[in-house]
Amino acid sequence: MTLTKDLVWPWSLPGLILIAMVLVGLTIWTYRGVQGSTNRRVTLVLGLRLAALALACLMILRPSLAYKEELRVPSTLLIALDGSESMTIQDEADSKSRWSVMLQTLRQCEPILQQLHDEQNVNVVVYRFAEDATPEEHAVPGGQADGKRTDFGKLQHTVNDRHGADKNLRGLIIVSDGADNGTVYPALTEAGRLRRLPCPVYTFALGKTTTDVRQRDIAVTAIKADPSPVSVKGKLTVTGTLDAPGFFSPDVTVRLFIDDKEVGVKNFKLPKETGNEVQLTADAPDKPGEIKVTLKADPHQGEMVADNNEISTYVTVIKEGISVLLVDKLRFIEPQRIYDALSEYRSIRVFPVWHASDTPAREDLLRLDKRHYDVIILGDLSAQRLRHLDPQRPETGDGSILAEIAKQVKERGAGLLVTGGYESLSNSDWQGTPLADVLPVELDAPGQVDAETQMEPTAKGLSHFLMRLTENADANKQLWSRLPKLDGMNRMGRVKPGAVVLAERAGVGEPVLVGMDYGRGRTLAFAGDTTWRWQLLGQPKSNEGIEAHAHFWKQLIYWLAHRDKGEGSIQAKLDSRRLPAGGKLDFTVEMFGKEGELIGPNRSPRYEVTVEDPHKNAGRVGTAREGENERGHFWKTDQPGEYELVARGWYKDEKGQEVSGGEPARTRFLVYQDNSELMRRAADHDFLAKLANAGGGKTFPAEELPRFLRDLQKLPLPQGGPKANLWPDWRRHSLSGFLITFFLLFVALLSTEWFLRRRWGMV
């Protein structure tokens, strides 16, 4: 115990002594020679006055007896034990594993932890962590170290969530080798959060930083498929990256599988220990869909890990976009502008063939036998020029190039467009050829209109898909009237029965654009060949004419290819088709309308995305607008295996009604368990030091854990220790009976002094 005082401002102890001396002097001087005053009476009065003064001084000095009692304030100590596979590496003394040394150290700590609990009221909470952090019942865990990934960020995030509201945290003790393989939460950032609780982070290091990283292993570490997506029956090139540590230029057999069926095999010599690239090529399947692509390396004798000898990903096989063959002679400007406009649409692939001379080509330039075309556009070409492009065929008969084009339209459903020109339609040698039967007009009116021609949709044309430049009917009609005039046109002849005139020469009624169905295909005859003039509308202030020109040619191709009655579609694009367990999947979703147009924010698109894990448990994933794209992020990838993302969508049509975006998009991706725990054999004590520094603690060798725990009872709580007790506590008991007694005693002393002086005649 100690005697303390708490002087009331502005008093001081010397000042109080001076007052007492003045009081004694004044009392003696006052009653010196007064009648009735004797030395005994003056001494008694002086004693009463000094006693009252003493009480007043006590009230000013406020002395107290201070004493400390070792209070057992409840507190919590957190201990996290690394249970990952890297703890099985045997690089401790006597070739012991890191895991066994940790268990041995913890057994030494058990009595100390019990003492902390009994004498210090410390609640010890033990966690075992790897890719997750789970509580342990005992300080010395059972089982083996089999965690696939050491995630310090996830551990500290879990501790923060579960113990952030706890009072009197002694700290977090982490016993590990420091091989951090976390992917979600930054470890040093999470340590800083614990420091602010406060809950200091102390790290205890196991393992050697000099452990040899070399090991005999063949590992396929990366895979890439190109192109992705790949077209039906297209060439698929698969590139893999192979590591071969511990081997000297081994020969490795690598196999390629598509949907678990072997489609290729090749031997490679691996000159480097890491980063060897291998390539295998195969044909994609003949049906659209999603395929699983796998690379496997045959195992080598002496390999440490065999599970990493194969790697897989997914590739989408698609039906090619609309394939267009554009054939014209080498002339200025119309063919190139058509090609440029159509090339802007990713759903259309244009194969141009420009005829530059009157002599036959040396090879087949059209490649009708080798490539399927959905649409064929023939420009200002005579029949003879067209024959020159495939000199290997006969000029007439069923095997001719003209007969082959007619066959593709009639039997295979291709679309055919023939445009105007000085050598085209009725102005040339098309009459009597197989193509003359295919076209929707009789080639019986040769000639050319050299005057400017305003192309005007007919009544049927205005309601036709092909002539719809805008959704609004009135705006569409006005736009056609404002388009610049064509620079002349062909005379096409009589319209065949069943054909439809979609556009005509304004004020005259001559057909400009005529279409009809022929067999399984569709055909168009277009008398103009200067639609590039439309691009001038609005220039240079706007691109209205450029957009109208491109839209017209896109609509024309879509109609010829039978894509004018689509049902819309939704697509999901994954940034990666394979990612490590615990990694983040980023993806984009988008919708296309019935005419192939991208659905933008003005159509109020709404998406619903779910992801199904390997155990068939599905969960919703939110999306949000990020710039020009609708993006989503999926985090729950802790379980290795095959996942499926399903995207559904809705948007508003021109009437403001919500319609479906079509069939849901289904896309698979792989989550793999990496082997980085065993590939990184050296301990990382520098990381543990950085972690402790960020968490406001210190780092130690693991063998110092018992001493640290013994010293822990001497360390104050981060939130502050217990306060000293005072008796009496003047501040807390300002209105207590104790102080009232002091006051009554003070009054009694002064009253007694006054009564005696009055009785003795000293007043």
Side-chain angles (χ1 to χ4, degrees):
M1 292 187 182
T2 42
L3 184 64
T4 65
K5 61 182 183 296
D6 184 17
L7 276 167
V8 175
W9 186 87
W11 298 98
S12 64
L13 186 59
L16 294 176
I17 295 174
L18 180 61
I19 291 174
M21 293 175 62
V22 171
L23 179 63
V24 171
L26 286 175
T27 301
I28 295 174
W29 179 75
T30 299
Y31 295 109
R32 184 180 179 184
V34 176
Q35 184 180 1
S37 61
T38 63
N39 290 338
R40 183 179 178 184
R41 291 178 178 178
V42 172
T43 300
L44 183 58
V45 169
L46 182 60
L48 291 171
R49 289 183 176 183
L50 289 175
L53 178 61
L55 288 177
C57 289
L58 284 174
M59 297 290 289
I60 294 173
L61 287 172
R62 298 196 292 191
S64 299
L65 285 174
Y67 63 94
K68 285 186 177 180
E69 180 182 355
E70 293 298 332
L71 299 178
R72 297 172 59 180
V73 178
S75 60
T76 302
L77 176 64
L78 306 172
I79 300 178
L81 309 175
D82 187 349
S84 63
E85 287 184 335
S86 65
M87 295 290 287
T88 63
I89 296 175
Q90 299 175 349
D91 62 353
E92 293 285 353
D94 299 327
S95 298
K96 293 182 179 179
S97 69
R98 300 167 186 176
W99 176 256
S100 62
V101 170
M102 182 182 71
L103 296 183
Q104 180 181 343
T105 304
L106 291 172
R107 292 188 188 97
Q108 298 174 16
C109 295
E110 278 188 303
I112 307 172
L113 293 174
Q114 188 63 44
Q115 187 178 7
L116 283 171
H117 179 271
D118 296 340
E119 298 180 5
Q120 301 273 321
N121 202 11
V122 176
N123 178 36
V124 179
V125 179
V126 179
Y127 284 94
R128 176 175 176 159
F129 76 100
E131 55 266 37
D132 287 311
T134 56
E136 286 281 334
E137 294 184 3
H138 306 287
V140 182
Q144 300 296 321
D146 54 6
K148 299 300 181 182
R149 188 178 69 256
T150 309
D151 196 335
F152 286 88
K154 182 71 173 292
L155 161 70
Q156 294 172 111
H157 186 82
T158 301
V159 167
N160 219 318
D161 282 350
R162 295 182 181 178
H163 301 279
D166 292 359
K167 295 181 179 179
N168 300 327
L169 290 172
R170 290 279 186 174
L172 170 63
I173 293 174
I174 300 177
V175 187
S176 173
D177 56 13
D180 182 34
N181 293 304
T183 57
V184 179
Y185 304 104
L188 299 184
T189 302
E190 293 297 325
R193 291 181 62 199
L194 289 173
R195 181 177 189 168
R196 292 189 292 270
L197 278 181
C199 178
V201 177
Y202 304 99
T203 58
F204 290 82
L206 288 159
K208 293 181 179 180
T209 59
T210 57
T211 298
D212 188 5
V213 298
R214 294 172 59 87
Q215 57 181 335
R216 293 173 61 83
D217 189 33
I218 301 293
V220 189
T221 59
I223 185 172
K224 179 183 178 182
D226 184 52
S228 181
V230 63
S231 300
V232 168
K233 295 184 179 179
K235 291 294 182 182
L236 178 66
T237 300
V238 181
T239 303
T241 302
L242 272 69
D243 293 346
F247 290 101
F248 181 74
S249 297
D251 291 320
V252 177
T253 300
V254 182
R255 304 177 189 276
L256 174 62
F257 295 81
I258 293 181
D259 287 335
D260 299 324
K261 180 182 178 181
E262 185 174 321
V263 294
V265 58
K266 194 173 182 180
N267 292 323
F268 298 92
K269 180 176 284 292
L270 307 183
K272 301 181 293 184
E273 287 199 347
T274 60
N276 300 282
E277 282 200 352
V278 299
Q279 279 191 351
L280 287 90
T281 301
D283 292 328
D286 58 358
K287 294 181 180 179
E290 206 165 47
I291 58 174
K292 182 180 180 181
V293 178
T294 303
L295 280 180
K296 290 184 180 180
D298 287 357
H300 265 53
Q301 186 175 2
E303 277 194 73
M304 180 177 178
V305 180
D307 293 341
N308 56 10
N309 282 38
E310 69 176 75
I311 192 171
S312 299
T313 187
Y314 289 103
V315 177
T316 301
V317 180
I318 61 172
K319 183 180 180 182
E320 286 190 354
I322 301 175
S323 180
V324 179
L325 174 64
L326 174 58
V327 188
D328 209 328
K329 64 185 179 184
L330 197 61
R331 64 189 178 102
F332 182 71
I333 191 171
E334 177 76 351
Q336 186 64 47
R337 292 293 177 88
I338 295 173
Y339 173 81
D340 293 341
L342 294 178
S343 297
E344 291 296 317
Y345 297 97
R346 61 182 179 179
S347 59
I348 299 174
R349 300 178 62 195
V350 184
F351 299 90
V353 176
W354 309 133
H355 189 269
S357 69
D358 294 331
T359 59
R362 295 182 178 180
E363 59 180 343
D364 175 16
L365 298 180
L366 301 183
R367 304 179 67 184
L368 290 174
D369 293 333
K370 300 178 181 178
R371 182 180 291 141
H372 169 74
Y373 298 110
D374 298 295
V375 177
I376 300 173
I377 301 176
L378 302 179
D380 189 10
L381 295 167
S382 64
Q384 187 60 34
R385 280 183 181 270
L386 190 60
R387 294 186 186 102
H388 286 172
L389 296 177
D390 190 355
Q392 300 173 359
R393 291 179 178 272
E395 291 195 1
T396 59
D398 293 340
S400 69
I401 188 66
L402 303 179
E404 178 61 28
I405 293 176
K407 181 180 179 181
Q408 293 221 8
V409 174
K410 183 177 182 180
E411 298 180 7
R412 299 181 183 176
L416 174 66
L417 165 67
V418 178
T419 67
Y422 289 107
E423 295 186 32
S424 181
L425 296 173
S426 300
N427 290 338
S428 188
D429 55 352
W430 291 95
Q431 297 86 348
T433 68
L435 285 183
D437 298 333
V438 175
L439 293 176
V441 294
E442 301 287 354
L443 303 179
D444 56 359
Q448 191 85 9
V449 177
D450 292 325
E452 289 189 333
T453 299
Q454 182 68 49
M455 180 174 168
E456 181 180 66
T458 61
K460 290 184 177 180
L462 283 173
S463 60
H464 197 279
F465 168 85
L466 195 154
M467 304 298 289
R468 195 184 309 152
L469 300 182
T470 63
E471 291 293 334
N472 184 277
D474 292 335
N476 185 51
K477 185 176 182 179
Q478 291 178 10
L479 179 57
W480 275 107
S481 67
R482 292 189 294 112
L483 287 176
K485 296 179 180 180
L486 301 176
D487 187 13
M489 58 173 279
N490 282 57
R491 298 190 187 279
M492 292 197 297
R494 291 175 293 119
V495 176
K496 290 181 179 180
V500 177
V501 178
L502 300 173
E504 57 190 12
R505 183 182 177 193
V508 179
E510 284 187 81
V512 176
L513 182 63
V514 183
M516 75 173 187
D517 292 338
Y518 184 82
R520 297 177 61 187
R522 289 172 173 176
T523 63
L524 282 171
F526 182 34
D529 69 340
T530 52
T531 59
W532 63 267
R533 287 182 137 211
W534 296 346
Q535 296 180 324
L536 302 176
L537 178 65
Q539 292 291 321
K541 294 183 178 180
S542 76
N543 292 326
E544 185 179 14
I546 295 175
E547 293 171 356
H549 176 265
H551 195 77
F552 168 77
W553 281 101
K554 185 201 76 169
Q555 298 285 90
L556 185 148
I557 297 299
Y558 269 55
W559 184 79
L560 286 172
H562 295 266
R563 303 286 179 92
D564 54 318
K565 296 181 180 180
E567 296 299 329
S569 64
I570 182 169
Q571 295 182 5
K573 299 178 180 178
L574 311 187
D575 288 8
S576 175
R577 300 299 293 268
R578 52 178 281 109
L579 62 154
K584 180 182 70 167
L585 175 74
D586 300 315
F587 61 90
T588 302
V589 288
E590 55 188 9
M591 277 187 292
F592 296 89
K594 295 181 179 180
E595 298 176 10
E597 76 279 11
L598 179 66
I599 302 299
N602 60 318
R603 305 285 291 276
S604 303
R606 180 171 62 88
Y607 297 93
E608 179 183 289
V609 179
T610 59
V611 175
E612 188 177 87
D613 67 18
H615 300 294
K616 305 302 180 183
N617 299 315
R620 291 281 296 272
V621 183
T623 63
R625 200 76 184 173
E626 295 182 10
E628 297 296 321
N629 300 313
E630 188 79 14
R631 296 279 286 169
H633 313 280
F634 179 66
W635 292 92
K636 298 179 180 179
T637 59
D638 292 334
Q639 302 177 42
E642 181 181 288
Y643 290 69
E644 184 178 49
L645 183 146
V646 181
R648 298 174 175 84
W650 299 263
Y651 65 94
K652 291 185 178 179
D653 61 14
E654 60 273 10
K655 298 180 181 179
Q657 301 294 321
E658 189 172 74
V659 296
S660 171
E663 289 295 318
R666 298 179 179 273
T667 307
R668 293 181 295 172
F669 62 96
L670 279 174
V671 173
Y672 63 91
Q673 186 64 68
D674 59 29
N675 295 304
S676 54
E677 280 297 316
L678 292 179
M679 296 298 290
R680 294 177 55 188
R681 300 176 64 79
D684 193 346
H685 294 178
D686 287 342
F687 171 77
L688 293 176
K690 293 177 182 178
L691 193 68
N693 183 63
K698 295 181 179 180
T699 187
F700 306 90
E703 59 266 22
E704 294 189 19
L705 180 58
R707 181 189 60 79
F708 175 85
L709 293 174
R710 281 191 291 268
D711 293 343
L712 187 66
Q713 57 185 334
K714 302 176 185 177
L715 297 176
L717 286 169
Q719 294 86 349
K723 297 180 180 179
N725 287 327
L726 300 176
W727 187 88
D729 191 338
W730 297 86
R731 294 180 181 270
R732 190 174 62 182
H733 301 297
S734 56
L735 295 178
S736 67
F738 173 79
L739 295 181
I740 293 174
T741 302
F742 255 70
F743 175 73
L744 293 178
L745 184 58
F746 177 79
V747 172
L749 289 172
L750 292 182
S751 299
T752 302
E753 184 267 350
W754 179 84
F755 172 76
L756 292 176
R757 286 190 297 114
R758 177 119 183 145
R759 181 174 182 180
W760 293 333
M762 298 171 63
V763 178

